[in-house]
Amino acid sequence: MFGKSTRGIRLKGDDRISGALPFVTAGETDEGISAFIGNSFHVFSKNTVTIDMFGSAKYRNYEYGCDDHIAVVHTEKLPMKAAIFVTAAIHKSSHNGQFDYGKNFYAKDADSLWISLPVKDDKTPDYQKMELRDYPKVCVNLQTGVRYNYSVWRFYYGKKK
């Protein structure tokens, strides 16, 4: 749906050069920004979503670098508010206790997430409605784009074990 998620690159603290590029690592403090670096580094686009090793998703409205414990979902082609909505849907799906120090979240996990989004009559995501309330929902696999009605999906797959 958003293309393959990618992963940041390891950059040890001792190797970081002070600069202006926000560097995202796992954690909640300062939205996961651990430093501002000046290293020559892969820069991810603004208007994307990061998911840390614990499954915590955050919207990034700025360019940034990130380490290898961060998955990047490429939502840069979406309108900003739709990308923020998608971030919340991803966070709800990925940050519910199944990932921790023993079982980290990786970019491949992002590609298999199921998220709930409002849809148009033709069952495609309705990005314009993502700013509104009271809309029909479906679950969408981020890699395959397969869509299911939310209430049907919840009945079959959403039961607590």
Side-chain angles (χ1 to χ4, degrees):
M1 174 174 222
F2 306 115
K4 279 195 89 58
S5 298
T6 55
R7 182 175 161 176
I9 301 167
R10 182 167 303 240
L11 181 62
K12 294 184 235 167
D14 291 343
D15 296 332
R16 296 177 192 167
I17 300 168
S18 184
L21 182 68
F23 188 68
V24 177
T25 58
E28 298 299 318
T29 305
D30 296 326
E31 294 294 308
I33 297 173
S34 63
F36 289 86
I37 63 170
N39 302 64
S40 177
F41 209 74
H42 179 79
V43 176
F44 290 95
S45 300
K46 62 182 179 178
N47 199 45
T48 54
V49 179
T50 60
I51 311 171
D52 73 14
M53 62 192 264
F54 306 111
S56 181
K58 294 179 180 58
Y59 174 74
R60 306 289 173 184
N61 64 346
Y62 47 84
E63 293 181 335
Y64 59 93
C66 62
D67 76 5
D68 59 337
H69 289 291
I70 303 295
V72 178
V73 179
H74 296 277
T75 55
E76 52 264 79
K77 293 181 181 176
L78 297 182
M80 180 187 76
K81 289 185 178 177
I84 292 169
F85 185 99
V86 168
T87 303
I90 290 171
H91 186 81
K92 185 174 183 179
S93 177
S94 64
H95 194 250
N96 51 32
Q98 76 267 38
F99 299 104
D100 57 27
Y101 283 107
K103 182 175 183 336
N104 293 176
F105 186 97
Y106 292 109
K108 65 180 174 52
D109 297 313
D111 293 334
S112 61
L113 284 177
W114 288 89
I115 60 174
S116 184
L117 299 175
V119 294
K120 300 178 198 175
D121 291 336
D122 66 358
K123 304 296 184 213
T124 59
D126 191 340
Y127 296 114
Q128 292 179 342
K129 270 193 181 173
M130 290 188 190
E131 298 178 51
L132 307 174
R133 295 179 175 199
D134 301 326
Y135 39 74
K137 294 181 181 178
V138 294
C139 287
V140 181
N141 180 287
L142 292 178
Q143 183 172 15
T144 65
V146 173
R147 296 161 180 84
Y148 292 94
N149 177 285
Y150 178 69
S151 58
V152 172
W153 179 88
R154 187 179 63 205
F155 177 78
Y156 288 108
Y157 301 106
K159 296 179 181 177
K160 297 282 184 196
K161 294 179 181 164

